Amino acid sequence: MHSLHNISLKPYNTFGIDAQADRLVRFANAQEVQSYFEALQQPEHPHLVIGGGSNLLFSKDYKGVLYKIENKGIELYKEDAEHVYIKVAAGEVWDDVVAHCVAQQWGGIENLSLIPGTAGAAAVQNIGAYGVEIAQRLVWVEAVDMNTGQMHVFDREDLSYGYRYSAFKDEKREYLITHIGLRLDKIPQYVLTYKGVLAYLEAQKYAHTLHNIRKAIVAIRESKLPKPEALGNAGSFFKNPVISAQKLSHLQAEHADIPFYRLQDSTNVKVPAAWLIEQSGAHLIAFGDAQVYDKHALILVNKGNATGADLYRLAQAIQHKVHQRFGIRIEPEVLIY
Ligand code: FAD
Ligand code: NAP
């Protein structure tokens, strides 16, 4: 366990915001996490668990303690005729986990290629892309209760998974995830429902294999999304709003071309927030180096010297403009502190 005082957060958030934190506690493994919180009997106040900082916006200095687990390991612990079960350390880089599984010919998470961040955070966020969410593959999540130091293993069913949502964002926010369990397929079932992926495979004349799907997704993402090392960002800043069928038909009267996707088991539809931002003109708003990425209106970028406050102001101005234009409130996916 390492404890660092008065640190710059710049290396710990992909926006590259140079805010300060009072303290950062880094754990090498789950035992260190348990011992630390067993001794403390309650976490410091305020506190925040961080992974790779790829979904966080520090709008000001963090006057509290950050906890970060840096354990590693991907272990096959069980298999049957159809599946393998793996135990993944929370501190693993998520994309290394995907690369490993694809190399082993284990199917199920290839569509989640190149998503930044750690395996632990992936289970908090219920990361999703190209029609796949990690919740579909999670079996259990192991986490330490920061109020007691006790280890718990939660079944996926007990974690209220939904669109970019899990119980770790709510009633289980006092848990620090140490490992996750995933079930993967020995005979992969490809999810190619997003037009771009299929079109890419066809254009390249790539056969449908795990390796080629990963390759396609990496290529698409590299062409569309800014690399945080080159241009500070936290991916999609807002979630795609879900609206009623009635609201949709109201909007269609004025915008016949509004894109939407039907949700399973619901009459509600999902509307791409990027479209709402562009149509409202909100993508043209900027506060100094806090700007909207020119290739993707859902992504806010730090062009160099933006402060967290600049980015926060930009996000609020975009929300306001979209609401004014469409009467839809887009909610941040990025967590703002
Ligand atoms: P952080 O940002 O550090 O933390 C995220 C949340 O998880 C916080 O609430 C934090 O408290 C909590 N947390 C982190 N680790 C733990 C732990 N061990 N225990 C308990 N709580 C923890 N997301 C998608 O879903 N799909 C995408 O396609 C996608 N693409 C992206 C592309 C880019 C270029 C970027 C920059 C981001 C993208 N994201 C995407 C968002 C981001 O990568 C995910 O939300 C990711 O899971 C965040 O991981 P992290 O380790 O950086 O977590
Ligand atoms: P895209 O393919 O241009 O599609 C735009 C939006 O429409 C997406 O947000 C997606 O919703 C939705 N969509 C497209 N095809 C769909 C289908 N067949 N069924 C249901 N919904 C559909 O999106 P993109 O921006 O290039 O991103 C591609 C994928 O990577 C998306 O799944 C996106 O969520 C993910 N991504 C996420 C982040 C992040 O930070 N969270 C950043 C970049 C990319 P969904 O977002 O609900 O899938």
Side-chain angles (χ1 to χ4, degrees), residues 128-130 163-164 193-194 221 224-225 235-236 240 261 270 272 296 333:
Y130 304 102
Y163 170 58
R164 305 285 194 269
T193 44
Y194 278 46
R221 292 181 70 101
K224 273 180 115 166
L225 305 175
S236 304
N240 291 320
Y261 297 93
K270 178 179 70 180
H296 202 311
E333 178 176 318

Side-chain angles (χ1 to χ4, degrees), residues 49 51-56 116-118 121 124-125 127-128 177 221 233-235 335:
V49 183
S54 62
N55 205 50
L56 303 176
T118 55
V124 175
Q125 304 288 93
I127 55 166
I177 298 173
R221 292 181 70 101
N233 77 94
L335 298 134

Side-chain angles (χ1 to χ4, degrees), residues 2 12 15 22 39 41 84 116 136 211 230 242 273 297 328:
H2 285 288
Y12 299 102
F15 265 126
D22 287 355
Q41 282 298 306
V84 294
Q136 295 160 334
H211 177 75
V242 170
I328 295 175

